Amino acid sequence: MGLLDNKKIIIMGVANKSSLAFGCMQAIIEQGGQVILTYQNERMKRSLDRFVDDAVLKVECDVSNPENIKTAFATINQTVGKVDGIVHAIAYADKRDLANEVTDSTLDSFALAQNISVYSLIATAKYGREIINENGSIVTLTYMGSERAIPNYNVMGIAKAGLESAVRYLARDLASQAIRVNAISAGAVKTLAVTGVKNHGDLIKMSNERAVDGVGVTIEEVGNTAAFLLSPIASGVVGDTIYVDKGTHLI
Ligand code: NAD
């Protein structure tokens, strides 16, 4: 018996086999869940087609426009019916903002990071709550740059602080439908998104060195925690941010 037997979970943000969302996808399938993927654009779709089974439903969803989320979820609802959870593993900031100093960012680039990395979760909850069954669960991904001034993380750190706050407010509001909302604060892992951060090699090295055993967290470990949070046995975990970083945040 799996934790997610008979559960349908939408996963937003699988780009390739290094993605944290891919770790979530594997863990959800291992726990008996059925996955539905959303992808940003045709380039991402071509990437997914290389390693994701044709039987998995894949739906386009560029979250920069909330209407696209509404349309994508309506398509999913029409195709598979109601779902039991959503993994939101999406963030974006202009590469120029992931270097140097926060004061180098512009209003437009700041707003872009907020839109893709924070508002997209709110829109996901807004349209997601229409198609999620009672006792469902939404999980997003954050990073400790929300609390600490991590070199070059800049506007993304500010966005992650907003994201974690959004998790708390959404958890309060969606409780009326018995839908839980939580975040996983993952340790640094080399993914496409991380390579946008200047000197990301140093970021990952620092994160790994501060893990209690000196070994960085894996996407499998992050995925397993997502599977737990999506499952009924996490019914008491609401509006929380859980560190899955091998203790990096402690040191
Ligand atoms: P990734 O590059 O594999 O995934 C990022 C995803 O965001 C991609 O699939 C991309 O297509 C999607 N995306 C960006 N803009 C989008 C848009 N407009 N519409 C739809 N999708 C869009 O990188 P990742 O590191 O796995 O990132 C997933 C999440 O995990 C992000 O929120 C990231 O901040 C967070 N996170 C990553 C780390 C890390 O070290 N990798 C640590 C903590 C948290």
Side-chain angles (χ1 to χ4, degrees):
M1 268 192 25
L3 287 177
L4 296 170
D5 284 346
N6 304 317
K7 304 280 186 204
K8 294 178 197 146
I9 311 289
I10 299 173
I11 306 177
M12 309 171 79
V14 182
N16 52 43
K17 284 185 168 182
S18 304
S19 296
L20 297 188
F22 182 65
C24 297
M25 176 181 150
Q26 286 177 303
I28 291 163
I29 292 171
E30 268 167 33
Q31 292 299 333
Q34 176 190 339
V35 296
I36 300 109
L37 303 186
T38 71
Y39 57 88
Q40 181 181 359
N41 51 34
E42 268 307 307
R43 188 167 61 87
M44 290 299 166
K45 166 83 164 44
R46 283 196 295 278
S47 171
L48 292 184
D49 284 343
R50 284 198 282 274
F51 62 92
V52 178
D53 199 296
D54 284 345
V56 172
L57 178 64
K58 306 177 195 87
V59 178
E60 184 165 345
C61 183
D62 180 340
V63 302
S64 58
N65 181 351
E67 281 297 309
N68 295 341
I69 302 178
K70 184 180 182 183
T71 307
F73 287 0
T75 302
I76 292 169
N77 191 23
Q78 279 158 16
T79 316
V80 302
K82 284 203 159 194
V83 301
D84 302 286
I86 302 176
V87 176
H88 170 277
I90 290 175
Y92 182 77
D94 190 313
K95 209 170 172 170
R96 281 170 298 190
D97 282 2
L98 300 173
N100 308 319
E101 299 188 357
V102 169
T103 49
D104 295 327
S105 68
T106 64
L107 176 58
D108 283 348
S109 64
F110 182 83
L112 176 71
Q114 291 284 327
N115 180 23
I116 307 295
S117 316
V118 188
Y119 188 75
S120 69
L121 177 72
I122 296 175
T124 292
K126 180 183 171 84
Y127 300 115
R129 70 192 300 181
E130 294 171 8
I131 64 159
I132 297 183
N133 287 316
E134 209 168 272
N135 298 317
S137 167
I138 298 175
V139 177
T140 189
L141 273 303
T142 186
Y143 180 60
M144 71 167 176
S146 61
E147 297 172 291
R148 313 278 173 87
I150 303 282
N152 300 312
Y153 204 64
N154 303 348
V155 296
M156 189 51 73
I158 299 170
K160 290 304 192 192
L163 182 77
E164 291 168 23
S165 182
V167 162
R168 293 187 280 273
Y169 281 95
L170 291 170
R172 177 199 66 186
D173 292 351
L174 272 61
S176 58
Q177 280 174 252
I179 297 171
R180 292 176 299 104
V181 186
N182 290 288
I184 293 172
S185 185
V189 176
K190 189 169 177 191
T191 61
L192 204 57
V194 162
T195 56
V197 182
K198 187 181 171 194
N199 297 337
H200 58 271
D202 293 346
L203 183 81
I204 293 168
K205 190 163 170 272
M206 178 202 74
S207 186
N208 292 353
E209 281 172 0
R210 291 176 191 204
V212 286
D213 59 0
V215 181
V217 74
T218 64
I219 64 167
E220 288 76 18
E221 288 168 322
V222 173
N224 285 336
T225 306
F228 159 70
L229 286 173
L230 290 161
S231 79
I233 65 165
S235 59
V237 188
V238 176
D240 209 357
T241 295
I242 297 186
Y243 283 100
V244 184
D245 68 353
K246 304 280 295 292
T248 295
H249 69 286
L250 302 172
I251 314 277

